[in-house]
Amino acid sequence: MDKLVIEGGARLDGAVGICGAKNSVLPVMAAALLAEQPLRIPNAPQLHDVGTMAVLLRELGASVERYADGGVEICAEGPLSDKAPWETVRKMRASICVLGPLLARQGRADVSLPGGCVFGVRPIDVHLKGFEALGAKVRVEHGFIVAEAPKGGLRGAEVFLGTAFGSSVTGTANVLMAAVLAQGRTVIHYAACEPEVEDLCRCLVAMGAKIDGIGSPMLTIDGVAKLGGATHAVIPDRIEAGTYLSAGAMTGGRVRVTGMRPVHLSAYLDRMREAGVPFECGADWVETQPYAGTAPAGAGAFPPRPRPTDVTTQTYPGFPTDLQAQWMAQMCFADGVSVINEVIYPDRYMHVAELARLGAQVRRQGTTAIVQGKPSLSGAKVMASDLRASAALVLAGLAAQGKTEVYRVYHSDRGYEKIEQRLIGLGAKITRTKE
Ligand code: EPU
């Protein structure tokens, strides 16, 4: 296993381009199962999760080509298997996205339950409720979800996909992918409005699906008999963009994040403004600015502290849960107390204990974390527990004094392409070595 060794205190400076979004590319890859012709994704990021999805699609009988330029081409000409094994599904929750396409195309799907997750129970009841509304019989047997379409195939229906915590991203994706080949009209109420769901809709439309209301909480889908091949570039990763902007802000540097869509990060940028972080914004870039009066880049000077700024995680367009850990790392340096409220995943606080190893003062109470900012943190050995926690620890290490070692960096490799190389490009002192 690898670890990242970070010498903190270097002020970052430079530009970093954003990759295709992880949470777009995974359901889009699964959508390839809906057609016999190839689906090409020219900008698939080079991530472990993309590799895991490729393995799963091959196990199901599709061919997957990965090109040196990052492109991926998937062809599910058939025959396909309808069984997604535990050995692969357990590695990545997004594997559940093959359920809808398999059910629609094959009339049957047998997909291992994805199981628990380090930041709490992540149920899939609304996925199943959606399939049942389309006429499927669904049961859980020996750890597998077995879903069977009725004779004559799935039938369009009115489906309400809200959960106790709001809409569901992969729940919407899954039911949508089943509905595009169902007979008649499906209306999904309380659809997730995340840009990644909108992106999946655009890919499905390029493949021949008929979907109205894209980007809204009500999707109307008129089923078609077949989908065809397409080329679809996925949207830039808004969470990767936010993470690098936090790196710029926390080191007081000038970091220009390019190839991104600032509109997808409105809530995060609003919080940055509220925190007093200077930045400029263009059509497809955002650049953090050095605070007025700080020493030149490379001088090792720490930036003035941000204002303490509260966040509550929400579904899109609210503040994303996938940036909560990174925001906490940022607020560990704030000039006062910030309150973070995690309502999407109430237990997504694995990073709190590790940030404390760097000297951070964070107290958790139920779904709330109270962060007492400090002028500085001191480097230490820390353990990444999940993808976004690992990003938070890297950020804290960049801004802490002295050496931080982040263990179990494979978590970060699931969702950040070449994170250390990109940070080195910005002037960070960071190396990857074996644990
Ligand atoms: N929920 C239910 N029942 C369901 C489905 C969800 O109660 O059937 C609840 C969940 O427990 C949670 C809330 O609804 O409280 C939202 O969960 P959602 O289904 O939207 O999450 P997801 O689709 O499993 C995706 C992302 C996550 C991201 C969440 C929230 C992908 C592959 N994953 O997960 O990304 O945190 O939406 O935005 O798109 C990450 O990238 O680090 C990551 C975890």
Side-chain angles (χ1 to χ4, degrees):
M1 274 191 278
D2 291 351
K3 67 177 175 183
L4 293 178
V5 181
I6 306 163
E7 199 57 55
R11 188 130 69 85
L12 302 192
D13 184 70
V16 58
I18 291 308
C19 301
K22 169 181 87 75
N23 290 345
S24 266
V25 78
L26 298 173
V28 163
M29 287 175 79
L33 293 171
L34 289 162
E36 290 177 11
Q37 290 82 27
L39 175 66
R40 191 176 157 82
I41 308 162
N43 64 339
Q46 294 187 13
L47 302 172
H48 277 195
D49 277 6
V50 170
T52 305
M53 184 57 92
V55 168
L56 179 57
L57 295 177
R58 285 191 193 110
E59 283 170 349
L60 292 170
S63 69
V64 184
E65 290 286 336
R66 290 191 82 173
Y67 298 102
D69 65 358
V72 168
E73 188 170 295
I74 304 153
C75 186
E77 194 180 358
L80 300 179
S81 155
D82 50 32
K83 190 154 184 128
W86 175 79
E87 287 73 12
T88 313
V89 173
R90 75 184 170 91
K91 293 186 184 150
M92 183 182 73
R93 290 192 58 87
S95 307
I96 197 70
C97 289
V98 301
L99 227 173
L102 284 180
L103 179 62
R105 169 104 182 258
Q106 305 273 93
R108 188 190 152 92
D110 210 341
V111 177
S112 172
L113 274 164
C117 162
V118 73
F119 50 82
V121 182
R122 290 173 68 186
I124 52 160
D125 52 305
V126 297
H127 303 230
L128 308 188
K129 185 171 111 178
F131 299 139
E132 281 171 346
L134 300 179
K137 290 253 180 303
V138 184
R139 60 183 193 277
V140 176
E141 214 171 65
H142 307 301
F144 279 74
I145 304 151
V146 183
E148 286 164 326
K151 270 207 173 71
L154 299 172
R155 294 181 303 266
E158 300 271 329
V159 193
F160 179 82
L161 285 188
T163 79
F165 300 92
S167 52
S168 165
V169 175
T170 50
T172 304
N174 235 339
V175 178
L176 169 69
M177 289 191 279
V180 290
L181 291 183
Q183 286 176 44
R185 175 167 285 189
T186 299
V187 182
I188 299 180
H189 301 274
Y190 214 155
C193 298
E194 269 68 8
E196 294 77 14
V197 175
E198 181 176 341
D199 198 27
L200 173 65
C201 287
R202 299 207 183 283
C203 172
L204 292 168
V205 167
M207 293 169 78
K210 295 204 168 108
I211 308 171
D212 258 2
I214 294 176
S216 82
M218 191 172 102
L219 296 173
T220 304
I221 303 123
D222 284 309
V224 294
K226 266 183 179 256
L227 294 188
T231 295
H232 178 78
V234 293
I235 55 169
D237 197 310
R238 60 194 168 106
I239 307 303
E240 187 194 25
T243 303
Y244 288 121
L245 288 171
S246 285
M250 288 170 70
T251 61
R254 187 188 299 279
V255 170
R256 180 180 282 236
V257 175
T258 61
M260 62 173 287
R261 298 198 190 161
V263 69
H264 288 168
L265 272 183
S266 308
Y268 166 87
L269 293 174
D270 173 72
R271 296 291 83 189
M272 289 281 265
R273 221 171 267 121
E274 190 68 24
V277 174
F279 67 88
E280 282 179 9
C281 207
D284 65 351
W285 56 268
V286 177
E287 185 180 275
T288 61
Q289 305 289 313
Y291 289 80
T294 47
F302 286 90
R305 299 165 68 187
R307 278 196 293 271
T309 305
D310 301 346
V311 300
T312 294
T313 61
Q314 284 167 334
T315 51
Y316 189 80
F319 191 94
T321 172
D322 293 343
L323 281 171
Q324 178 262 111
Q326 299 88 316
W327 190 258
M328 183 185 290
Q330 206 166 328
M331 288 303 105
C332 285
F333 294 87
D335 191 10
V337 176
S338 325
V339 178
I340 294 177
N341 199 10
E342 173 58 74
V343 291
I344 308 276
Y345 294 119
D347 290 320
R348 197 176 200 176
Y349 279 130
M350 307 302 289
H351 41 286
V352 170
E354 297 305 301
L355 287 170
R357 297 177 62 75
L358 303 175
Q361 276 181 16
V362 184
R363 191 155 54 85
R364 189 187 156 187
Q365 226 164 34
T367 61
T368 301
I370 299 147
V371 186
Q372 170 67 64
K374 292 174 74 174
S376 66
L377 299 185
S378 63
K381 291 183 181 178
V382 289
M383 189 87 84
S385 55
D386 65 86
L387 169 56
R388 306 306 171 188
S390 69
L393 295 173
V394 169
L395 292 176
L398 289 170
Q401 290 176 337
K403 188 162 88 173
T404 295
E405 295 182 31
V406 182
Y407 284 71
R408 298 202 181 159
V409 72
Y410 61 85
H411 287 294
S412 151
D413 297 334
R414 290 189 45 210
Y416 292 92
E417 183 179 305
K418 300 180 184 140
I419 189 168
E420 77 281 9
Q421 290 179 30
R422 284 154 173 263
L423 288 169
I424 288 168
L426 297 172
K429 293 182 182 140
I430 177 168
T431 49
R432 180 187 286 257
T433 59
K434 292 279 166 224
E435 281 187 2

